[in-house]
Structures are given as C-alpha cells and as structure tokens.
Amino acid sequence: FLGWLGLPSSITDADLKEIEETAASLRSKCEVVIVVGIGGSYLGARAVIDALNNAFDWLQHDRKNPVVVYAGNNIGEDYLYELMTYLKGKSFGIINISKSGTTTEPALAFRILKGELEKVVGKEEAKHRIVAITDAARGALHTLAKQEGYKMFVIPDNVGGRFSVLTPVGLLPIAVAGFNIRQLVEGAAYMEENTSPEVTFDKNIAEQYAVVRNELYKKGKKIEILANFNPKLHYVAEWWKQLYGESEGKEHKGIFNASVYFTADLHSRGQWIQEGERSIFETVLSIEQPNHTVEVPADADDLDGLNYLKGKNVDFVNQMAALGTPLAHVDGGVPNLKLEMPQLNEFYLGQFIYFFEKECGISGYLLRVNPFDQPGVEAYKTHMFSLLHT
Ligand code: PA5
C-alpha cells in the first residue's frame, strides 16, 4: 500500500494530459458534473475544490466552470431527490469513483443518476458523459465500465482509497472544476522531497508532527482537534478526519480526531475546549495571506464601537483571533500545534495533502497499527446487508 509515496514525482506529463483532456471534454458538455464516491473516493477532491472555489460561484449564471456536486456519500433519499430536481433542464455528466467497485452508497446513487442521464440524453450520449475511476481488473464498476464503453481511469493496486487524491480520483474532479492540477502535483512533489527519509528529523516536518502527536497521545491526550480560521478549509478538515480516522483507529488504539471551525465553534465547543476534560490537543491550520482584501470602513456614529479597526483588513481581526485563541487554550491546558500555509492555492494545498499523508503513515507505524487497512468498516456492512436481505 505504499504506492502513494511516490505518486507526485512519478506522475507523467502524459498522465496529466489524459486527465486534462477528459476534464475538458466533460467541461465542454456539462453545466453540472456529479462526483459519485464515498470516503477516500471523494473527500480529497472536495477538499481542494471547496478550498479554491469562490463560495458563491455556484449561484452565478455566467459561470465559466461547471458546478461540481457530490452523490453516493450518503443514502439520503431526500438528498437524491433534490439533486435530481436540481439537475432538471441542466446538461450534466458523472464521474463515478469506487476502487472496489462494490461500495453500496455510490453504486446506488450511480444506478439512479445513470438512469436519469440516459433518459435525458439517450444511452449513446450518456456514455460520453460518464467516466469511471476504479480498479484495474476487478469489481462491478470495472465490469460495467468495460461493458458500456465508458472512459476509464485506474486506481493503482498499491494506493488505498484515502491515499488516492493524487491519482485521477482527486485530479479529474479538480481539473473539471477548473483548477490547476499541475501546480497541485508540483506542491505535493515538493513535500515528497522535503519529507523523504534523507531529510533529517530536525528539518523533516512530517516526522516532527508524527512524533509530537504520538508523545501527546502517550501522555493521555487522546483527542486531536484540527482547528481552522477559514471556512474554505471545511472539507480539508473532513478529508483529514477520514484519512486519520480510518488509518489510526484500530486494535483499540488511536487518537480520535475531530475538527472545529473557528471562530464559529468558539461560540459553541470553544467552552468545552477551554474547560472540559483535559484529554485533547489542538492543531491549528492557518493561512498567512488571504487572496482578497476587505477593509473595515469608518462609521460616523460608531455605535458598534468598531472605529478603532477602521482601515484595517478583516483578516487582521481573524489573525488576532488566531493568535489569541491558542494562548487561551494553552492556558486552559490544551497543547497547541500550528501548521501554516502561506496562501490558499493549488501549490500549497498539494504540499498539505502530501504532508498529512506522509505524517499519517509514520504515525500509524509509531502506534504499531497498519495505517493502510480498515477492517472495522466492514462491521456495519455485515449488519446492514443481513437486514437488507431479510
Ligand atoms: O480510504 C478508504 O479506503 C475508504 O475510505 C474508501 O475510499 C471508501 O470506503 C470507498 O471505497 P471504494 O472506493 O472502494 O468505493
């Protein structure tokens, strides 16, 4: 399962071109592209797309990029109904991602959405709007894609789902959304080089983070909270939770990982963090420089008392919150780590993805568990299938 280690440096120009060409074809045909997948088969793409997208872009009519929406990550009937209602009258396509090709949630969503697409554009045209990303030889999705003649990408055998964001699993949806996958891969390759075994511990940030969090765990800090001060990082935290949760939580061991979104959660779980059970440590993910500026205006009446901030950027206030919060939390007995990203763009997100993957692998070994399997997720399936078949 170590294929992901060399993904960024080994991806070829031809690989990237094939992904870009497929993305261009979907972009030319579709106003909406549905990414069908669950867990590692969609969270990486969503993390990058949500981080880079204009938060309100999907509401615009004169968009230059297709809207990317997601399905197959839940079994909500209303969700699917509302998605199909939204799709009415729009040209759409589907990227169906499942490494095993047998996961119930995406299979169910795909069956329904494929039917809808074929109804609207006909079976022949639907084939040109569906892309399958799956195993090289096995699984129902592989068989279906071959039979129908869908464009197919392969997830290498030695790359597990949650480590697959730098394969077409992540790169195709990201390219469809209009972002630069070459810069993302470049950022990841930079981190691959800078966290390689040749880089000594004093310079190797993946090793340092792994050691610190595992030492904290040994000292009773059983919960790690990933905190961020930027709503655009919501799905980066969701991706992180999935990567670490499935990799570390086994054999009755492992840090439980949670995420908080500041400053919103400072008005909710901030109380627990400050004064609740002392079993947590906090890792703050921060962005040094926003991509845009909004100044605080002067106000003649100053009834809200904010004139002392006039002329300052909103981010200045956010930065002070980001500096003040860890001070308060450390005072309250919560150890704090900080991970800084200079700016939110493809290059730095690529670095972060690789950094977390590398750290997660090392952490698993420090914990003496196999970070690349997930035997525990089968338990719910066994019960669900026996209930479904009764
Ligand atoms: O990381 C993993 O292996 C899992 O989260 C899988 O990505 C997830 O269960 C989806 O599996 P599949 O791609 O086989 O449908």
Side-chain angles (χ1 to χ4, degrees):
F1 285 111
L2 293 177
W4 56 274
L5 272 171
L7 276 179
S9 59
S10 64
I11 195 160
T12 64
D13 188 60
D15 294 333
L16 290 168
K17 254 201 190 117
E18 191 184 353
I19 295 170
E20 286 164 343
E21 278 166 15
T22 308
S25 158
L26 284 172
R27 285 168 62 82
S28 69
K29 286 173 181 288
C30 309
E31 290 166 78
V32 181
V33 174
I34 310 156
V35 175
V36 176
I38 195 166
S41 285
Y42 95 104
L43 280 165
R46 187 161 197 179
V48 174
I49 293 170
D50 276 27
L52 298 177
N53 248 346
N54 177 317
F56 301 98
D57 204 32
W58 66 280
L59 293 168
Q60 320 275 345
H61 292 296
D62 56 346
R63 308 170 41 82
K64 51 180 201 319
N65 298 308
V67 178
V68 176
V69 295
Y70 304 87
N73 57 67
N74 63 61
I75 320 179
E77 187 159 354
D78 288 346
Y79 182 90
L80 268 174
Y81 176 87
E82 288 163 16
L83 173 59
M84 288 191 296
T85 309
Y86 168 71
L87 293 172
K88 289 227 166 9
K90 297 188 177 69
S91 54
F92 68 95
I94 306 169
I95 304 175
N96 190 15
I97 310 171
S98 178
K99 182 165 185 197
S100 62
T102 53
T103 308
T104 309
E105 292 90 337
L108 193 59
F110 182 66
R111 174 186 282 221
I112 293 165
L113 293 166
K114 169 182 180 276
E116 280 297 300
L117 183 60
E118 287 174 350
K119 229 189 303 168
V120 181
V121 298
K123 223 169 155 30
E124 204 40 49
E125 175 58 18
K127 287 181 188 172
H128 301 291
R129 296 188 188 198
I130 295 175
V131 178
I133 307 180
T134 189
D135 186 83
R138 289 177 301 263
L141 178 56
H142 179 94
T143 313
L144 181 72
K146 276 257 168 259
Q147 182 188 300
E148 301 282 311
Y150 300 148
K151 168 76 188 160
M152 185 163 48
F153 287 97
V154 161
I155 309 170
D157 262 353
N158 57 2
V159 178
R162 58 191 173 277
F163 290 84
S164 68
V165 53
L166 297 166
T167 71
V169 169
L171 298 179
L172 181 64
I174 293 167
V176 165
F179 299 112
N180 190 326
I181 55 171
R182 287 174 190 263
Q183 282 172 14
L184 190 85
V185 170
E186 214 180 287
Y190 173 91
M191 194 53 78
E192 180 186 339
E193 199 182 322
N194 282 275
T195 57
S196 76
E198 289 73 48
V199 179
T200 51
F201 182 76
D202 58 319
K203 296 199 182 68
N204 196 319
I205 55 173
E207 291 179 3
Q208 290 171 11
Y209 180 39
V211 167
V212 170
R213 53 197 293 284
N214 282 282
E215 284 304 307
L216 288 168
Y217 177 65
K218 283 191 221 154
K219 290 190 162 65
K221 302 298 180 189
K222 307 283 188 199
I223 302 167
E224 178 176 15
I225 298 179
L226 188 74
N228 71 68
F229 285 80
N230 189 321
K232 286 177 165 295
L233 296 178
H234 185 96
Y235 269 93
V236 171
E238 295 305 303
W239 170 78
W240 175 87
K241 281 194 289 200
Q242 195 256 340
L243 176 67
Y244 280 75
E246 264 192 347
S247 300
E248 291 191 313
K250 48 197 75 159
E251 298 175 30
H252 297 165
K253 295 194 272 191
I255 296 169
F256 180 81
N257 61 351
S259 57
V260 284
Y261 307 100
F262 291 160
T263 57
D265 281 342
L266 288 172
H267 299 257
S268 62
R269 283 192 284 174
Q271 172 60 37
W272 197 100
I273 297 168
Q274 193 67 44
E275 295 181 347
E277 191 182 295
R278 300 300 71 185
S279 52
I280 55 171
F281 67 99
E282 190 172 51
T283 300
V284 179
L285 189 53
S286 82
I287 297 166
E288 277 173 59
Q289 185 67 44
N291 289 326
H292 305 284
T293 53
V294 177
E295 265 186 22
V296 180
D299 185 278
D301 297 330
D302 195 27
L303 291 177
D304 53 14
L306 290 178
N307 267 355
Y308 75 104
L309 291 172
K310 72 173 187 298
K312 297 259 194 264
N313 290 345
V314 169
D315 191 60
F316 170 75
V317 184
N318 203 26
Q319 297 287 356
M320 294 309 112
L323 280 177
T325 304
L327 294 177
H329 290 173
V330 170
D331 283 348
V334 179
N336 233 273
L337 310 174
K338 189 173 183 185
L339 299 169
E340 233 164 7
M341 185 185 298
Q343 222 173 347
L344 204 45
N345 62 27
E346 289 92 332
F347 182 74
Y348 292 122
L349 280 167
Q351 285 194 15
F352 258 79
I353 287 167
Y354 193 87
F355 165 77
F356 279 129
E357 287 182 350
K358 187 65 176 283
E359 196 284 324
C360 184
I362 300 171
S363 253
Y365 289 136
L366 287 177
L367 199 62
R368 306 250 182 279
V369 297
N370 176 1
F372 307 117
D373 65 4
Q374 57 281 332
V377 300
E378 295 310 313
Y380 95 92
K381 294 182 191 168
T382 311
H383 285 291
M384 180 177 80
F385 289 134
S386 72
L387 289 166
L388 282 171
H389 287 108
T390 51

